[in-house]
Amino acid sequence: MQELTVVVVGGGYAGIHAVKAIQDTLKGRPVHLILIDKEPCHLRKVLLFKPAAAKTDIAIPLKSLFPEGVDCLQGTVLSVDGGAKTLTYADTTGKEQALAYDVLVLAVGSVVRQVEPEQGGIALTGVAAAETIRTTWQHNMRLAARENSPAERQRLLTLAVAGAGISGIETAAELAFAMRREAQTHGIAPTEVKVYLLNAQSRLFTEGSAKMAHKLEQALTEAGVTVLHGTKAIRERGGQLHLSTGRSLSVGLCIWSLGLLPNPALRQMGLPLTVHGQLVVDQSYRVAGAPGVYSIGDCARIVDRASGQADRMTCKEAAGQAVRLGKVVLADLQGTAAPAHQGYMDFFCVGLGPERAMVWTRKWGLDIILTGKLGWKLRQFTWNIASMIK
């Protein structure tokens, strides 16, 4: 049997699960499996708030995830020639290399929305930004401990998170805990620390029930986070955060958590995209007009044909898509009917600080909400399974 060259582009959640699924489904066939990413590590992107709160490592070397059976190449894919079944990538020296494939999986994911420089603050876009956030609020804490002016002291002890999706909620909760704990080491009362979460919507968690939204807000309040609904941050300048309501907040730091965009690198690959920049795929993840090319994860527009709903940009969707992708690739190689996409059940986990979390799902028309130790264990499990940590 002729050896197949299978290339997976992207070492994020969708990419690593795609590699594992293809390994499992093509077991017994001669396969040269290659994983390409611009970084040598898998970044646990959903945990970016962790290094913003405390020094911690959220990267896993790709070679430790795939110690054998996978060639891990560090490079950036520049273009794809679907007709010739080749791709071009720039290696770590910037030199362009060509690579032929039989099967190509594009799982280049998404990027965090940036803000314009004039808007001020720091967008939580990566590890470097997270570390800058941590050093900034810690520096502010030290300044506050020596500050004589009550107004300036309060400003230095105040932080705002702009954007109240799950990432924003988890960031606000984690930082409120970290800042309150740090305050005590400087002789500052924890209650002096103020953390605001700015929510453009009328309530939290619009993906699910109002009951869950209410419980989340209660938990945030207990953690020291004040939620401002119907409020957007406009810009931060000179320690003043101007809001859409016309009011302003005196803050030591504004953190932007504004959601995700499909990876802009897709625009140079020469493949069909939606108006929002995602790859156009069919119900079995095949990229339109490019035989042998598939795409899953945040970079693909994947719709459940039965419900008409598009999959969200979360790691749980990516993992489920990857398992099905392995079966699709095998079916296409065998010339048999491939499975079609099915949407993921409504299931959300939200971290609320160290060892605190809340889980919501809907089953049999009922809202099921889990808190306490079980909620925390489930949140840990979802974080770990997403990065293939046992």
Side-chain angles (χ1 to χ4, degrees), residues 206-289:
T206 54
E207 302 93 332
S209 72
K211 181 179 179 182
M212 174 68 169
H214 178 68
K215 285 184 171 293
L216 280 172
E217 186 161 356
Q218 277 187 318
L220 287 168
T221 300
E222 291 168 6
V225 177
T226 300
V227 183
L228 301 180
H229 297 294
T231 304
K232 293 181 180 179
I234 304 300
R235 66 182 180 277
E236 184 274 319
R237 186 174 297 164
Q240 292 298 308
L241 179 60
H242 300 275
L243 307 177
S244 59
T245 58
R247 133 182 213 201
S248 65
L249 291 174
S250 294
V251 299
L253 178 61
C254 173
I255 300 168
W256 301 86
S257 178
L258 301 179
L260 303 171
L261 293 171
N263 194 325
L266 293 166
R267 297 190 179 278
Q268 64 188 20
M269 291 186 186
L271 296 169
L273 301 178
T274 69
V275 293
H276 298 296
Q278 290 177 299
L279 286 162
V280 178
V281 299
D282 69 9
Q283 286 294 298
S284 296
Y285 313 137
R286 305 180 190 98
V287 175

Side-chain angles (χ1 to χ4, degrees), residues 133-154:
I133 287 168
R134 185 181 75 247
T135 57
T136 299
W137 69 256
Q138 288 177 338
H139 176 67
N140 287 347
M141 191 79 67
R142 291 191 293 271
L143 292 177
R146 304 192 299 269
E147 180 58 52
N148 293 321
S149 164
E152 178 63 6
R153 177 184 170 97
Q154 185 59 75

Side-chain angles (χ1 to χ4, degrees), residues 319-378:
Q321 292 164 13
V323 172
R324 191 173 292 108
L325 172 69
K327 298 173 183 176
V328 168
V329 171
L330 178 61
D332 285 353
L333 291 172
Q334 294 175 335
T336 58
H341 175 73
Q342 292 180 330
Y344 203 87
M345 67 181 290
D346 283 333
F347 182 85
F348 292 87
C349 298
V350 186
L352 293 165
E355 299 189 20
R356 297 178 184 181
M358 200 171 293
V359 177
W360 174 85
T361 188
R362 182 181 285 125
K363 193 73 173 174
W364 308 296
L366 300 174
D367 287 327
I368 299 172
I369 299 174
L370 303 174
T371 58
K373 289 185 178 179
L374 180 56
W376 172 243
K377 286 184 180 296
L378 281 170

